[in-house]
Amino acid sequence: MKQYLDLMQDIIDNGTDRGDRTGVGTRSVFGRQMRFDLSEGFPLLTTKKLYTRAIIHELLWFLNGDTNIKYLQDNNVTIWDEWATEEGDLGPVYGAQWRSWACPDGSTVDQIAELIEQIKTKPNSRRHIITAWNPADLPDETISPQANAEQGKMALAPCHCLFQFYVADGKLSCQLYQRSADYFLGVPFNIASYALFTHMIAQQCDLEVGDFVHTFGDVHLYHNHLTDDIVYEQLKRDPGNRPTLTIKRKPDSIFDYKLEDFEIEGYEALPSIKAPIAV
Ligand SMILES: Nc1nc(=O)c2c([nH]1)NC[C@@H]1CN(c3ccc(C(=O)N[C@@H](CCC(=O)O)C(=O)O)cc3)CN21
Ligand SMILES: O=c1ccn([C@H]2C[C@H](O)[C@@H](COP(=O)(O)O)O2)c(=O)[nH]1
């Protein structure tokens, strides 16, 4: 994952210091891209240990169409706690947009089910797209995430907001457009999550995995991560070998995967690095 460290250095060297919604402040650059050939191993950061259980549960939770953190909390995953209401609601975030995008006539679109069907029946299509960016449901930035959720809006605007699949030579590739990226905390999760999702869809469609292309809008390092024991500690570390992902059975559909179906082997990571999250 040398690419990950190279972009981190790029942000430090070429970024602009600016304010942001959270009040923490960031150094950021605009418009960057990384590419991971998924046949060369699973792109899990080795220069700090990642909590893969949280990444897998979060993806399964999105795929269930769930937008309440109860499922995550029941599985000891706390990454969405800061944004939820007391009842655990986040409003119509990813799960709702992916599985039940609301249409003007009152019906809903299951973008994931349609995607799988289209990849299977029309692999050459240039329309294999999922979008979470639904302007009707975006939050009002002047009120809190919880107040937005209570009013039926998203607690947080989607960061990984649009992705597209491409089939060629029996291989499935995925490109994500991430409009806003917390490079130290969020991005390692986002890379692993989309790589995992690409493996699952490839399995369901009887394809091999191709590339994961990660395209960024505003990619930033929060100022409180630019310290000797966080970002600069990570930059001192040497990347190790990529682990491998095995999916132990083929579930009946994209909606039937369980945590136990995934095995990550050969993950030898350096110790985790704790960092504060900007809310
Ligand atoms: N500022 C910010 N960055 C994000 O990455 C982010 C948000 N907000 N809001 C919504 C979600 C929540 N995500 C998160 C939230 C927390 C961690 C985090 O704290 N990760 C730690 C430990 C995780 C754990 O052990 O529970 C890490 O070291 O990776 C990661 C992603 C990604 N998103
Ligand atoms: O999957 C995610 C979700 C969120 N983020 C980061 C990107 C930003 O630092 C914040 C969101 O703040 P906005 O003001 O809405 O851009 O969360 C991420 O990196 N990955």
Side-chain angles (χ1 to χ4, degrees):
M1 301 280 282
K2 183 173 176 300
Q3 279 189 78
Y4 177 81
L5 297 181
D6 288 347
L7 179 47
M8 189 173 258
Q9 190 66 53
D10 178 7
I11 300 169
I12 293 171
D13 293 342
N14 302 308
T16 304
D17 291 306
R18 52 208 286 276
D20 79 296
R21 176 188 55 79
T22 69
V24 175
T26 66
R27 186 171 301 178
S28 75
V29 295
F30 187 64
R32 292 292 189 275
Q33 190 173 78
M34 298 197 283
R35 180 182 291 265
F36 303 97
D37 180 345
L38 298 179
S39 70
E40 288 176 0
F42 192 69
L44 201 57
L45 202 62
T46 54
T47 47
K48 75 170 189 194
K49 188 161 177 79
L50 287 181
Y51 188 37
T52 47
R53 273 187 73 255
I55 297 169
I56 298 171
H57 275 307
E58 188 201 40
L59 179 60
L60 299 182
W61 173 72
F62 291 151
L63 287 172
N64 267 327
D66 198 348
T67 58
N68 186 291
I69 61 170
K70 185 174 184 310
Y71 167 85
L72 297 177
Q73 289 184 328
D74 289 348
N75 289 289
N76 297 317
V77 175
T78 58
I79 59 172
W80 279 97
D81 288 8
E82 283 88 344
W83 295 272
T85 63
E86 279 198 7
E87 292 74 44
D89 288 327
L90 290 164
V93 292
Y94 304 100
Q97 305 302 339
W98 288 11
R99 298 297 315 283
S100 51
W101 178 289
C103 302
D105 67 0
S107 64
T108 59
V109 178
D110 184 340
Q111 296 190 74
I112 304 292
E114 290 195 359
L115 173 85
I116 302 288
E117 181 61 22
Q118 294 293 316
I119 293 175
K120 284 181 179 168
T121 56
K122 294 192 205 84
N124 290 339
S125 171
R126 297 169 291 213
R127 303 176 181 180
H128 298 311
I129 287 185
I130 305 272
T131 176
W133 192 261
N134 185 341
D137 291 345
L138 291 178
D140 172 354
E141 267 196 46
T142 65
I143 59 175
S144 69
Q146 290 77 10
N148 273 296
E150 269 151 18
Q151 295 174 16
K153 299 290 184 183
M154 303 173 185
L156 206 58
C159 293
H160 42 101
C161 50
L162 181 140
F163 50 108
Q164 179 178 8
F165 292 90
Y166 171 84
V167 181
D169 303 327
K171 290 196 254 179
L172 180 73
S173 292
C174 171
Q175 174 164 210
L176 167 67
Y177 184 78
Q178 183 163 355
R179 66 159 181 91
S180 174
D182 174 348
Y183 201 68
F184 188 82
L185 280 178
V187 170
F189 272 55
N190 297 133
I191 297 168
S193 179
Y194 277 86
L196 182 67
F197 197 12
T198 306
H199 273 273
M200 291 160 62
I201 296 176
Q203 185 189 39
Q204 287 298 315
C205 301
D206 296 316
L207 296 164
E208 299 298 319
V209 286
D211 288 346
F212 169 55
V213 184
H214 199 162
T215 301
F216 297 99
D218 179 329
V219 50
H220 46 266
L221 287 164
Y222 280 100
H223 283 155
N224 59 358
H225 295 170
L226 284 165
T227 65
D228 286 342
D229 55 347
I230 303 180
V231 163
Y232 294 106
E233 167 58 30
Q234 176 137 44
L235 282 170
K236 273 192 252 161
R237 298 180 172 185
D238 290 321
N241 292 331
R242 283 205 205 163
T244 54
L245 170 77
T246 308
I247 306 180
K248 291 189 278 185
R249 65 173 184 126
K250 183 175 174 186
D252 291 339
S253 87
I254 192 73
F255 308 118
D256 296 310
Y257 288 78
K258 306 244 175 322
L259 179 75
E260 306 73 56
D261 295 331
F262 305 102
E263 191 166 281
I264 291 168
E265 286 169 296
Y267 185 42
E268 285 167 25
L270 292 161
S272 71
I273 303 176
K274 296 278 160 245
I277 184 108
V279 180

